[in-house]
Structure formats: structure tokens, C-alpha cells
Amino acid sequence: MHKSAAVLLQQLQNNEQIKSTDYQHFSTALDQLRLEITNLSNELQEISRQLDPLTGVYTRGGMLTKLRNDLEKVKRGQFHCSIIMVDIDNFKAVNDNYGHPVGDEVLHQVGSFLCNHIRIYDDVYRYGGEEFMIVMQDCDKTASKQSTERI
């Protein structure tokens, strides 16, 4: 698109009449850019619907689709998959003693911590109120146990 625009601008600077083919190239490139922006916007909206606004991790709804896909790969023997459940002990006491805003901050910090301490291709989901699930792709029992203890 930039090259097409440069051609049009050069023609204008030289007081030349803009060629219809040059304008058509620019117009086609512009339409393609608009389509790509629309597609990207739609993808971002879909991703934002799958993220928990409080913790920043994926929601339980997105988890089910992911687990179904992973299960099929496991059945075909393509890879191992491990699931780690994380539950914040005594979370009700945090809300009761310090209030829900502090409890919300705890949930946010736990979500961030989990995301920062997993492999880039693993996923963290908010399973319930103070429950999180980590889905670890291509991870056997030994590696999963090591990761769980590290976390």
C-alpha cells in the first residue's frame, strides 16, 4: 500500500494525471488493509471474551474447547497433557478480614504469578472463584510434578 501511495504522491507532485491502474492498485491495497484490520479486531474481541477481566487468565468456557482438542491429541498418542488444579487455601478469610477489593487483588496477583511461572505454550484458566487450572501441553507425569512443586 505504501508503494502505491508513493506512486500516487509522485504523480501529484509532478503535476501528472493519476493513472487509473495506479489508483486501482492503491484502492485494492487499502481494501485489503481494511479487511485485515477488521479481522484482527474480531480476533481481539473474541480473545477478550475468553479472558477473565479480574485475573487476566482464560475463562472456564475457553478451557473446555482446549481440553477437548488436547484430549483428541492424547488419544492419538501425539503428546502427553497434564492438568494442575490450584486452589487458594482460606481465601474466604481474606475477603472476610480485608474486604473484597483485597481479595480481588489476591486473585489478580495469583493469576499473574501463574502466567509468569509456566511455559509459554501452557495455559492458565480461572476454574472457579479462587480455583485455577493449568493445562500443560506435551508434559508427562514427572515433568508435571516438577512444575507443580516449582510453582
Side-chain angles (χ1 to χ4, degrees), residues 11 13-15 18 29 33 40 43-44 46 57 59 75 88-89 92 94 105-106 110-111 113 125 128 135 141 150:
Q11 290 172 358
Q13 286 178 344
N14 295 337
N15 292 322
I18 293 178
L33 177 63
L40 182 58
E43 285 181 40
L44 290 173
E46 181 62 28
V57 303
T59 63
K75 283 181 181 178
I88 303 173
D89 290 339
K92 183 179 180 324
V94 173
E105 182 60 24
V106 168
V110 169
F113 178 86
Y125 298 89
V135 177
K141 290 179 186 178
R150 179 180 45 80

Side-chain angles (χ1 to χ4, degrees), residues 3 8 12 18 26 33 43 50-51 57 65 75 77 87 110 114 123-124 126 131-132 140:
K3 288 180 183 179
L8 296 178
L12 287 174
I18 293 178
F26 174 76
L33 177 63
E43 285 181 40
Q50 295 177 11
L51 292 179
V57 303
T65 301
K75 283 181 181 178
D87 180 75
V110 169
L114 294 174
D123 294 309
V124 178
R126 185 166 180 202
E131 299 166 324
F132 295 84
D140 63 15

